[in-house]
Amino acid sequence: MEWTLEVVVVPVSDVDRAKEFYADKVGFKVDVDQQVAPGIRVVQLTPPGSRCSISLLEGMPGAPGQPSMAPGSLTGLQVCVTDIGAAREELTARGVDVSPVQHAGAQGWAEGRGDEVWNSFMFFTDPDGNGWTVQEAPAPLSQR
C-alpha cells in the first residue's frame, strides 16, 4: 500500500490574503476554491511540479482529537528547485521577502551556495509567519 503525502494544511488568519500570497507572489496554482458546506471554505494550491498541495481553510472544524494550529505556527515546510538562484530572483521579483541563498556549515548557516549537493537553501514566511524552506535539488523530481 502506498502512503502519499498529498495535502498539508497551512494555518492562516485570512484565507483571501494567503491565497493571493501563495498564488500571485509564490506562484502556486489554485486548484480549488470552494465553499464545501455553509461557512466552510477550502482553498487548495499546488507548487509547480509538486504532487503535494497546501490547503487554506476557513470555518473547518478541527480534526477529532487533534489540537488546532494557530495562524503562523507551521514551520519546516520545504520545497525543492533545481536552480535556487533563478528561484530566488523569481520570488523577489514577485515581492516575496526571501533570505539570501545560504548553506549549512560547521558554524551554522552561512551566506552563499554550499559546495555539496543538497546544501543550498533560502527561507521565507507567508503573511501570517508560516515558515518555508527552499532547497536546491540536483535534478528534477522525475529524474531522482
Side-chain angles (χ1 to χ4, degrees):
M1 173 180 3
E2 290 184 358
W3 291 51
T4 59
L5 180 63
E6 298 193 16
V7 179
V8 174
V9 175
V10 177
V12 298
S13 60
D14 182 326
V15 171
D16 288 318
R17 179 181 70 173
K19 176 186 173 187
E20 179 183 358
F21 175 79
Y22 285 109
D24 298 343
K25 291 192 173 185
V26 183
F28 290 8
K29 178 184 174 282
V30 178
D31 302 313
V32 174
D33 184 349
Q34 68 182 21
Q35 185 170 340
V36 297
I40 300 175
R41 179 179 173 200
V42 174
V43 176
Q44 187 168 312
L45 303 101
T46 304
S50 180
R51 292 166 58 180
C52 185
S53 302
I54 63 168
S55 189
L56 312 172
L57 306 175
E58 185 173 86
M60 178 75 79
Q66 296 180 13
S68 61
M69 292 183 289
S73 64
L74 189 59
T75 63
L77 295 163
Q78 186 164 321
V79 292
C80 291
V81 297
T82 56
D83 185 337
I84 201 157
R88 186 174 189 288
E89 286 178 18
E90 184 177 317
L91 288 175
T92 57
R94 290 181 175 173
V96 177
D97 184 14
V98 62
S99 76
V101 173
Q102 301 174 43
H103 66 278
Q107 305 301 318
W109 291 105
E111 277 199 37
R113 298 171 56 86
D115 292 332
E116 300 296 323
V117 175
W118 294 102
N119 193 14
S120 294
F121 302 86
M122 62 184 172
F123 308 92
F124 69 91
T125 60
D126 72 9
D128 282 295
N130 294 299
W132 287 83
T133 299
V134 181
Q135 180 181 31
E136 186 172 72
L141 181 60
S142 63
Q143 297 173 18
R144 288 187 257 139

